[in-house]
Amino acid sequence: MAAQQKPNLAELDIEDLMKIEVTSAAKKEQKLQMIPAAVYVITPEEIRRSGATSVAEVLRLVPGVEVARVNSETWAISIRGFNSWYSNKLLVMVDGRSVYLPTFSGVSWWSQDLVLEDIERIEVIRGPGASLWGSNAVNGVINIITKSSADTQGGMFSAGGGNEDHGSGVGRYGSRVGSKGTYRVFAKYIDRGSYVDSTGADMHNGWGLSHGGFRSDWAVSDRDSLTISGDIYSGNGAPVFGVVIPQPPFQQDLNLPRNIDGGNVLLRWQRTWAGGSRSTLQAYYDRAHEFSPVYGMTQHTFDLDAQYQWRMGRRHEFVSGFDFRVLSERSQNSLSLAVRPQDQTFRLFSGFLQDEIAIIPNHLKLTLGSKFESNDFSGIDAQPTVRVLWMLKPQHTVWTAVSRAVRTPSFSDRGSEMPVAVLPGPVPTIITSMGNPEFRSEDLLAYEAGYRAQPTTSTTIDVAAFYNIYHHVQGAGPLGVPWLETEPPPVRVIAPMPTNNLFDAKNYGVEVCTSYAPVHGWKLYAGYTWLKSSSHVDPAYAATAFVMMAPGENPVHQLQFRSLLSLPHAVEFDNFLYYVSRLPVQSVRAYVRWDVRFGWHPRSNLELSVGGQNLLSDRHTEFSPLIPLLSDGQVSRSIYGKLTWRF
């Protein structure tokens, strides 16, 4: 069967790009220009021409998103501050399935290895999305939306490799099932090379992952559609763990095996009712297993989600729904990291209602809504939002919003034990980070405003400003009453440093995204982010408290410039320039990264590309975790090549 090609979005007018339909901002389709929130949509064309081999690397394209590679398989990714190798205030989903890990509050990026060619778009919301998506959508929402199987008919084979990501291969095939159904199946493997440390020594921490799956879409009737999809994966490597020990040298960096495997299955039914109302019912099951000598866990998640969208009169459009999730986990603990109790179950029930009111149709609209959520750890929370959008004139809109969002405690917040430092002495004292069953939700009150315009058919500009006030933010300390431990030897003193809601914080900033098409076939993008942060700790605890977000923990300035140039004879020449200012708290220097890609389409179904990344320096550090458990590596200059054949 002949492959169906998606239109090349780089060849479209910017006016068309601004009409991209976005679903994550309101749980319904909205044109990008009419959304009262800071939203960026990564298109398939941007993904293809980025030269990226992972979803994490693709996210560098979004102004306002901080993407820092920690080592071979780990990234630290956040929006509007609080970056960490588990960024606990960023909700990430794949087709509406949450991949936010409640054990440590964050995303295990090493297991998120999607087929990039099958991604329809990535919707990135900078700012709270909790009124619709619930807890943990505090600073942003990333929703990765894959293509319908009807759009991936025929075969596709892709292979590539380089000196950093050694090799990757994808095989995918799609076809029809009768007159109403389509499907695709795929298999993928990637081998990521090891990183080097600050001395240039090989860390021997390479990572490999195998991934397979399917998706099938059915037009059951004129009103009903059905989607079923599933994935399985297995990966292994030997990351470097910084293991704290009670005798000299008190910390050892060890290559220890990490094995992961898991899978999921998702079922979604959508129906359009008489009068235009729409309903969606979605359920998924997800299993994740991870094991290393430091920590292991097996997790099972079941989620049921329903929503209903309807109009009332000419001015009101409602969206409502509920979600029930149950998650069970069994931990495998060690002296380096333990989560207790070993067997835990977490239940969450939530409902939401949102009304979009056309005060002046097509010019001024007001959005009111709230999520009401109950969970086993923090009880009942309301997460409301008020948003106003005003179309000043065609192609010029301003918006403002006030929202509340919460981040619920994780299993580790409530019951973890992790040695973080040793004070030498005749009897060494081990400072140990401890979970706290009394730890409660962090909360945010966010003020936002934005301006989005298309002053000419070849120019767009999107500006957002925000002022965030955080309360009850997580910190560690003050030190508790120590005790003596004799087993296993040697004898040592344990000084507990409990997790607490220790401080309040503020951050504020500006995000600017622009695009310009000087001639047909050439698109320029520029982005700038300015972020300032501050925190306030109770003076009684300041001397012994560990603050999670200090000024200098996040880059104050981020700047990017991208050029996508289509030349004659089906040649593409793309450039990407990124500047990230220093992270003083982590002793990470500012860096400039230049990536370049050459692409060629000798035939309409064949693509060859070569490229280089981080071309301006031999290597640099992008992120250095403050806790010793995970060692950071340096991003090296690299080259790659790739072939993609559709048939």
Side-chain angles (χ1 to χ4, degrees), residues 44-345:
E45 188 66 10
E46 288 180 278
I47 296 171
R48 182 181 67 80
R49 298 180 70 160
S50 69
T53 60
S54 67
V55 168
E57 289 292 329
V58 169
L59 294 172
R60 287 186 194 274
L61 303 177
V62 185
V65 177
E66 182 191 357
V67 177
R69 194 162 183 175
V70 182
N71 54 42
S72 179
E73 86 287 6
T74 306
W75 285 261
I77 299 175
S78 76
I79 295 174
R80 297 181 179 176
F82 291 91
N83 203 7
S84 173
W85 56 303
Y86 283 116
S87 296
N88 60 21
K89 295 174 181 59
L90 176 64
L91 181 65
V92 181
M93 298 175 289
V94 179
D95 289 327
R97 175 176 58 85
S98 174
V99 295
Y100 183 95
L101 190 66
T103 307
F104 299 107
S105 291
V107 176
S108 300
W109 288 104
W110 50 83
S111 63
Q112 305 306 318
D113 187 47
L114 284 80
V115 177
L116 298 182
E117 290 83 356
D118 289 349
I119 295 176
E120 173 62 29
R121 62 187 185 277
I122 302 176
E123 299 180 354
V124 180
I125 301 173
R126 306 184 307 276
S131 64
L132 293 171
W133 298 104
S135 295
N136 310 317
V138 178
N139 282 357
V141 178
I142 296 175
N143 194 9
I144 304 163
I145 299 169
T146 63
K147 295 176 181 176
S148 165
S149 56
D151 295 329
T152 53
Q153 296 290 280
M156 189 274 290
F157 172 77
S158 177
N163 63 325
E164 188 162 284
D165 290 334
H166 289 167
S168 65
V170 179
R172 181 244 285 157
Y173 182 76
S175 187
R176 299 197 62 86
V177 183
S179 60
K180 296 184 177 180
T182 57
Y183 75 91
R184 68 166 176 263
V185 294
F186 71 89
K188 179 180 180 182
Y189 176 74
I190 189 162
D191 174 17
R192 303 193 186 280
S194 62
Y195 265 41
V196 297
D197 62 19
S198 58
T199 68
D202 193 334
M203 298 177 70
H204 302 289
N205 61 348
W207 180 253
L209 188 76
S210 302
H211 183 196
F214 73 96
R215 172 167 170 159
S216 183
D217 296 274
W218 294 76
V220 179
S221 70
D222 292 341
R223 292 184 174 181
D224 298 275
S225 64
L226 187 69
T227 297
I228 180 170
S229 63
D231 302 78
I232 56 172
Y233 61 87
S234 176
N236 60 79
V240 179
F241 291 95
V243 178
V244 173
I245 54 178
Q247 61 271 357
F250 303 117
Q251 180 176 327
Q252 287 183 316
D253 291 337
L254 302 174
N255 283 99
L256 298 173
R258 171 189 278 160
N259 301 308
I260 66 169
D261 61 78
N264 64 81
V265 61
L266 179 146
L267 180 66
R268 180 169 55 248
W269 169 62
Q270 294 179 301
R271 180 177 177 85
T272 301
W273 300 86
S277 301
R278 302 184 66 182
S279 61
T280 302
L281 182 65
Q282 174 176 290
Y284 68 79
Y285 165 75
D286 189 302
R287 175 190 177 275
H289 173 255
E290 176 175 336
F291 176 77
S292 78
V294 171
Y295 181 74
M297 62 91 183
T298 302
Q299 188 177 93
H300 302 270
T301 304
F302 173 76
D303 184 276
L304 178 64
D305 180 278
Q307 72 174 62
Y308 183 59
Q309 170 190 343
W310 77 100
R311 298 190 68 91
M312 181 180 292
R314 294 177 56 247
R315 297 181 183 272
H316 295 268
E317 184 166 0
F318 290 91
V319 181
S320 65
F322 74 88
D323 181 61
F324 173 71
R325 184 177 303 165
V326 59
L327 182 148
S328 64
E329 177 174 309
R330 179 173 179 78
S331 303
Q332 296 169 290
N333 298 328
S334 73
L335 293 176
S336 297
L337 178 60
V339 177
R340 296 189 174 88
Q342 281 188 274
D343 293 293
Q344 301 197 57
T345 300

Side-chain angles (χ1 to χ4, degrees), residues 558-573:
Q558 291 190 87
L559 181 67
Q560 65 167 261
F561 177 79
R562 295 184 276 136
S563 168
L564 305 183
L565 178 61
S566 299
L567 298 168
H569 307 293
V571 174
E572 298 164 340
F573 179 47

